[in-house]
Amino acid sequence: MNGTRAVVLGAGILGAACARELALAGLEVTVLDRGGAAAATTAHGEGNILLSDKGPGAELELARLSRRLWPEVLARVADRSAAGARAARAAEWDAKGGIVVATTRPGAEALTAFAAAQRGAGVRADALTGRELLSAEPFVTPDHTAAFHYPEDAQVQPAGAAAALLADALAAGATLRTGWEVLSGIVRRGRLAGVRTVRGEVMADVFVNAAGPWAGTLSARLGAPIGVSPRRGDVLVTTPLPPTVFHKVYDADYVGAVGSSEEELQTSAVVESTRAGSVLIGSSRRRAGFDDRLRPEALSAVAAKALRLFPSLAGVPVMRAYGGFRPYVPDHLPVIGADPRLPGLWHAGGHEGAGIGLSVGTGRLLRELVLGEPTALDATPFRVDRPAVLGDPEESRPATTGRQKEGA
């Protein structure tokens, strides 16, 4: 594929992962972004790399691929040069593991069944006794009904990880252009041959829509709209604390909230520490378009649930709050592959809140599809021409998903 020109539309972590894979494969890669690299959704993420919230199915397989690739990719970035080593360190890879806690009897029953199904799919999910839970997390609530440890869960610093992937792409010959908003597509003989931007036309053989929550808007501008829309989330950040939270800890409700398609506000407790000592407290989900205003009621609900999980956080000062948009698809599966309506257009998005964790696996899968190579996993469930992406979003919402049901 030497000489093949590829343009990646979006310089967030998904775009960086795709650009890196394509550049290393020998394609002439240009990354375009209307703003700055990793400055939008990626910069507002928590850096989750989770297996714990995904039940058996296609998304879990993509998560397992990504979890295997993450340390390998960062090691290769570090081995490339001294600058690469610095970039890899900035990603702050932390295989801290995750702990999921239920605080009600129905929650315990649902969590136990969910963990059993995950184990059947190859995920490590170890039940914890009360004593084991308090040994792992001394400050967690004693009022729990079940807890499971997921040693494969990990975390990165989102912007740092995206910068590491993008730096490796640039080292492999890719070009980054920021401030290049795409206005429309250029179609010749039924194929997407170029894009018109605020700074002129860019021609190529392959175009990858990696625009995150804006993928739906961008695809419409290109003439091939897909059903990706924004879903808002907010996070609280405490002042630095002594060691308080040692894993990513969340209540069992989180898994149901992730897999829900409700438009109204949903909250659950997700609590973890950063290397700087601050504690990140999430999470919320609501579908409100691109309204970027912080809602006090959402932050209050998030804080209240976090206090149920970690009562010791009561009175801890909150340093700031921030929010971002997740790329939402009604069936809760990413969109990865060629657009059958418009040759030359490919998609890599729709990961909702899992984009950080799934990015490297998505980049690998996209490269294999573009090059016509055997794929590391079955890409069919992520195809573009499925009802949730091209059909009526209301009709395509699943009754259940691969994630745990609501109400745990």
Side-chain angles (χ1 to χ4, degrees):
M1 295 287 283
N2 286 337
T4 299
R5 297 167 299 168
V7 173
V8 177
L9 304 171
I13 197 163
L14 263 300
C18 292
R20 176 182 179 274
E21 289 284 348
L22 295 176
L24 290 174
L27 279 68
E28 297 179 9
V29 177
T30 301
V31 182
L32 302 183
D33 198 287
R34 66 175 188 169
T41 295
T42 297
H44 295 88
E46 293 180 78
N48 296 337
I49 300 175
L50 302 182
L51 302 185
S52 54
D53 66 339
K54 300 170 183 67
E59 188 186 34
L60 178 59
E61 293 310 304
L62 182 59
R64 294 182 68 199
L65 170 65
S66 296
R67 176 58 179 84
R68 189 183 79 241
L69 288 176
W70 261 114
E72 296 176 9
V73 166
L74 291 175
R76 291 175 183 174
V77 172
D79 288 344
R80 201 143 349 248
S81 65
R86 289 192 294 272
R89 286 195 297 272
E92 296 184 6
W93 168 261
D94 188 354
K96 64 170 64 175
I99 293 178
V100 186
V101 179
T103 57
T104 65
R105 187 175 298 278
E109 293 172 353
L111 177 58
T112 300
F114 186 67
Q118 290 176 299
R119 285 196 296 269
V123 176
R124 281 195 60 187
D126 304 325
L128 298 176
T129 65
R131 180 175 296 180
E132 289 170 335
L133 174 60
L134 292 177
S135 175
E137 291 292 341
F139 299 99
V140 78
T141 177
D143 298 326
H144 57 270
T145 53
F148 284 82
H149 178 223
Y150 289 84
E152 296 170 290
D153 280 1
Q155 184 181 17
V156 290
Q157 203 291 327
L165 298 177
L166 188 56
D168 211 37
L170 299 181
T175 300
L176 172 65
R177 298 178 181 175
T178 56
W180 286 61
E181 182 176 359
V182 173
L183 303 176
S184 63
I186 301 171
V187 179
R188 293 179 179 172
R189 298 178 182 176
R191 183 179 185 86
L192 183 62
V195 291
R196 296 183 182 89
T197 80
V198 293
R199 298 193 180 188
E201 297 180 354
V202 181
M203 312 302 289
D205 307 294
V206 172
F207 292 85
V208 180
N209 177 3
W214 294 272
T217 300
L218 175 60
S219 62
R221 292 183 182 185
L222 299 177
I226 60 173
V228 177
S229 59
R231 201 180 190 196
R232 174 79 177 181
D234 302 306
V235 176
L236 296 168
V237 185
T238 74
T239 55
L241 303 174
T244 303
V245 185
F246 301 90
H247 302 76
K248 177 182 289 292
V249 184
Y250 59 87
D251 67 44
D253 286 342
Y254 172 77
V255 194
V258 170
S260 170
S261 297
E262 294 299 322
E263 295 190 15
E264 295 304 313
L265 173 66
Q266 296 183 10
T267 60
S268 55
V270 183
V271 184
E272 64 188 311
S273 294
T274 67
R275 289 191 179 179
S278 294
V279 174
L280 303 181
I281 300 173
S283 71
S284 67
R285 277 173 164 76
R286 57 187 169 92
R287 294 169 60 195
F290 285 105
D291 181 356
D292 62 359
R293 292 172 295 180
L294 289 170
R295 286 174 50 177
E297 64 271 25
L299 299 176
S300 296
V302 166
K305 290 199 171 181
L307 288 175
R308 284 182 56 193
L309 203 56
F310 282 91
S312 63
L313 292 176
V316 171
V318 172
M319 183 168 57
R320 66 188 178 96
Y322 67 90
F325 300 107
R326 306 176 179 97
Y328 167 81
V329 179
D331 66 359
H332 305 288
L333 284 176
V335 186
I336 307 169
D339 195 311
R341 302 163 298 173
L342 187 57
L345 176 60
W346 297 73
H347 298 278
H351 298 74
E352 200 169 335
I356 303 296
L358 299 180
S359 59
V360 291
T362 298
R364 179 65 54 86
L365 185 58
L366 180 85
R367 185 205 74 191
E368 293 166 344
L369 292 170
V370 169
L371 299 185
E373 299 173 343
T375 56
L377 50 81
D378 181 12
T380 304
F382 310 119
R383 71 187 189 279
V384 180
D385 59 342
R386 65 185 201 263
V389 181
L390 300 186
D392 183 343
E394 295 299 322
E395 294 181 0
S396 63
R397 291 181 181 177
T400 61
T401 72
R403 296 183 171 105
Q404 187 180 0
K405 294 180 183 178
E406 187 78 51

